[in-house]
Amino acid sequence: MTIDAWLDAAVKDAEARGLKELRPLLEALAQATRALRVADFNAVFVPPDANPRPPADRDA
Amino acid sequence: MPAHVPSIEEFATGLRQRKISALEMTDECLKRISADDARLNAFILVMADEARAQAREADAELAAGRDRGALHGVPISIKDLFDIRGTATTAASRVRAGHVASRDAAAIAYLRHAGAVLIGKTNLHEFAFGTTSEESAFGPVRNPLDPARSPGGSSGGSAASVAAGMALATLGTDTGGSIRIPAAACGIVGLKPTLGELSTDGVVPLSTTLDHVGPLTRTVRDAWHMFEALQGREAGRPLTVPPLAGLRFAIPRKYFCDLLDDDVRAACDRSMDALTRAGARVDEAVIPHADVTAPVYMHISFAEAAAYHARLLETVPELYTPPVRLRLEMARYVLGEDYVRAMNGRAVLTGEVDAALAGYVAILLPTMPIPAPRIGEHSVGVGGQMLPVRALTLRLTQLFNVTGHPALSLPCGTTRDGLPVGLPLVGARHHTDVLLRTALAVESVLSY
């Protein structure tokens, strides 16, 4: 689903539920979703080891 | 502000020298609550009778030779998100009206075992879903240093109770900064341990994979004692201070120092200077995807909060404060595919913070880009822009909820208006004890 389509559907749904005040919040969320989707890690993400070990012992 | 409030260590020494009893300390805290809480609104429930009974028991045990350790007889306040058997856990919301906990949260059980005196339950941002402690069914909490300002949040009542001497320590939770932000705003120490290190059993959740439990205290040593007790270590391990000379710190200026109030920047710079004068080394570090932290955090925390609140939003929406209800309703629109993207980003950010810490004992950065905001203030000017208070207050803390690294905020100075500034140290995962030792060394050279 594109962000524009999602935002349009979300705003309509919110208005149908009597929550017109949600529009600016949904627009802010859409902005955050855009930033999340264009992050370059989406293209290169490799799942880490399912059971990562803690770092080696450290001393301060 | 009270003239002198003892640290846990000072009280513990006096208690064992019979200079003060647990009951006298508890009464002193209750007296301060009576004097100041109408103004500060830090407490939702004051447990005076129970606290006095626990204090008498602590005194009797000590007289009989039973010493439970550092927290024996120490009056401690509890964020009203933790279950205490027989009392309501309100989460500062009318949604929870009528709730009575049938058992103690795990952290409360540990505190009882350590001999602590539970003095009362503190006010917070409703359901911990905010950073100012203004949106509460019980009214806003006020900062003891300037009652026109917020004490931060969501553990705002907890921080205010310690800063005002109404308790010697407090128990809070931190999902995006809710321990460190109020600690910075009120000029005290706040510790968010490694993710999963302290049990969240019996705590009303906000975001199940980001929620942390931790203490707010007057000193780093006191945070150590709380941390030890909350892990069930009755005797406690000794806290040794490493020499600062030779310790290596990393500071990721890109993103973390891009947007700072001038006075906050000056206080942090003075702290870096003090550390280098003491022989520590401070190097630049980079966390390449730090600028995507907020979107990653939002999509995880919103989706998880929505899952918990969906049924309540369908059945009793009118019982929430309107701003919290709206944010939770907004959260319900996060798509599953974006939650997964955010979790992928979380793994990337975790690796990047691990890498930034390689060869360093801790990362240093400011806790909040701004001092405590005024109550009712929704946006603040920083760097020539007006920005939302919520986004600004979370900006520098939320990354370490996403990655799970332990982080501790300690006071490092004040603004020209006398408002405290917090300096957090971030350590390696699963080495919160090393972080606390490092913080003790840092605390010794910072003047505040």
Side-chain angles (χ1 to χ4, degrees):
Chain A
M1 187 180 232
T2 67
I3 295 171
D4 287 343
W6 165 83
L7 180 59
D8 189 47
V11 168
K12 281 183 183 146
D13 181 69
E15 286 176 355
R17 296 170 57 221
L19 292 168
K20 275 188 198 166
E21 322 90 287
L22 268 186
R23 177 187 277 270
L25 279 74
L26 290 167
E27 287 169 350
L29 178 58
Q31 219 174 356
T33 306
R34 278 193 190 92
L36 178 68
R37 289 192 185 182
V38 301
D40 60 5
F41 59 69
N42 288 301
V44 299
F45 176 71
V46 178
D49 185 336
N51 295 295
R53 291 179 189 170
D57 282 348
R58 286 170 168 242
D59 293 312
Chain B
M1 293 292 288
H4 177 71
V5 180
S7 67
I8 288 174
E9 284 214 334
E10 287 170 333
F11 166 68
T13 302
L15 182 70
R16 282 153 187 84
Q17 292 173 346
R18 305 288 189 268
K19 290 181 178 166
I20 187 168
S21 68
L23 183 60
E24 286 166 341
M25 189 70 250
T26 299
D27 277 336
E28 186 61 34
C29 289
L30 290 169
K31 200 165 82 182
R32 291 191 188 115
I33 293 171
S34 294
D36 292 332
D37 201 44
R39 183 172 58 96
L40 300 178
N41 202 24
F43 281 84
I44 287 174
L45 175 69
V46 180
M47 298 160 59
D49 292 343
E50 298 94 322
R52 286 196 180 100
Q54 290 163 19
R56 282 190 196 97
E57 192 179 329
D59 287 332
E61 280 191 346
L62 208 54
R66 169 83 161 106
D67 189 337
R68 291 175 181 264
L71 298 193
H72 193 117
V74 174
I76 291 173
S77 63
I78 307 294
K79 185 179 188 177
D80 199 6
L81 214 53
F82 289 83
D83 282 347
I84 296 181
R85 66 170 182 261
T87 69
T89 310
T90 71
S93 181
R94 290 192 297 141
V95 171
R96 304 269 304 178
H99 169 271
V100 177
S102 58
R103 64 185 184 93
D104 285 336
I108 300 300
Y110 279 128
L111 290 179
R112 283 194 202 273
H113 183 70
V117 172
L118 309 182
I119 201 154
K121 303 193 81 178
T122 52
N123 203 352
L124 62 144
H125 210 114
E126 185 179 27
F127 281 110
F129 201 32
T131 59
T132 61
S133 305
E134 288 177 70
E135 291 151 3
S136 159
F138 299 88
V141 187
R142 295 182 177 276
N143 192 319
L145 298 161
D146 178 353
R149 292 183 183 264
S150 159
S154 63
S155 310
S158 288
S161 73
V162 172
M166 298 166 168
L168 300 196
T170 189
L171 190 58
T173 62
D174 189 317
T175 304
S178 285
I179 286 173
R180 292 158 287 158
I181 292 165
C186 292
I188 60 174
V189 172
L191 169 68
K192 179 200 82 69
T194 306
L195 181 63
E197 208 158 26
L198 300 182
S199 174
T200 55
D201 172 68
V203 182
V204 178
L206 173 56
S207 173
T208 49
T209 75
L210 297 172
D211 291 342
H212 295 64
V213 165
L216 295 94
T217 55
R218 302 184 77 81
T219 67
V220 173
R221 277 191 185 279
D222 286 359
W224 170 265
H225 292 308
M226 286 284 284
F227 179 62
E228 290 289 275
L230 288 166
Q231 292 177 99
R233 291 199 178 97
E234 190 171 332
R237 297 168 293 174
L239 178 57
T240 51
V241 195
L244 261 177
L247 287 187
R248 298 178 70 201
F249 295 91
I251 177 162
R253 288 191 190 275
K254 183 173 173 292
Y255 177 79
F256 292 96
C257 297
D258 290 350
L259 273 179
L260 292 182
D261 170 271
D262 290 345
D263 287 359
V264 170
R265 189 185 298 279
C268 290
D269 287 346
R270 284 194 299 273
S271 302
M272 303 298 164
D273 290 345
L275 289 174
T276 49
R277 276 199 308 275
R281 185 172 145 185
V282 182
D283 294 334
E284 292 276 341
V286 177
I287 298 170
H289 288 93
D291 59 344
V292 202
T293 301
V296 167
Y297 173 79
M298 285 167 74
H299 286 81
I300 297 171
S301 62
F302 287 178
E304 293 179 357
Y308 178 80
H309 285 278
R311 186 181 59 80
L312 295 165
L313 289 165
E314 291 294 333
T315 53
V316 287
E318 71 284 359
L319 296 184
Y320 288 90
T321 60
V324 168
R325 180 200 172 192
L326 272 186
R327 284 204 300 281
L328 287 169
E329 287 285 6
M330 179 259 292
R332 298 177 76 189
Y333 288 95
V334 170
L335 293 178
E337 62 180 272
D338 293 316
Y339 178 79
V340 173
R341 286 187 182 99
M343 290 302 259
N344 293 346
R346 179 180 201 170
V348 170
L349 285 165
T350 303
E352 289 180 355
V353 176
D354 282 344
L357 276 162
Y360 294 95
V361 71
I363 291 172
L364 294 170
L365 59 157
T367 306
M368 284 202 296
I370 53 171
R374 286 188 179 79
I375 288 175
E377 196 169 44
H378 296 298
S379 55
V380 177
V382 184
Q385 309 172 58
M386 289 301 286
L387 295 165
V389 165
R390 178 180 162 80
L392 274 173
T393 46
L394 287 168
R395 180 179 166 85
L396 307 180
T397 52
Q398 60 196 348
L399 172 61
F400 308 106
N401 295 78
V402 168
T403 68
H405 290 79
L408 179 145
S409 178
L410 71 165
C412 73
T414 58
T415 65
R416 282 167 288 184
D417 292 338
L419 297 170
V421 175
L423 179 81
L425 283 75
V426 179
R429 287 182 289 146
H430 310 289
H431 293 289
T432 305
D433 53 343
V434 175
L435 177 70
L436 279 156
R437 289 191 184 96
T438 307
L440 192 57
V442 171
E443 185 184 45
S444 69
V445 299
L446 299 184
S447 55
Y448 52 84

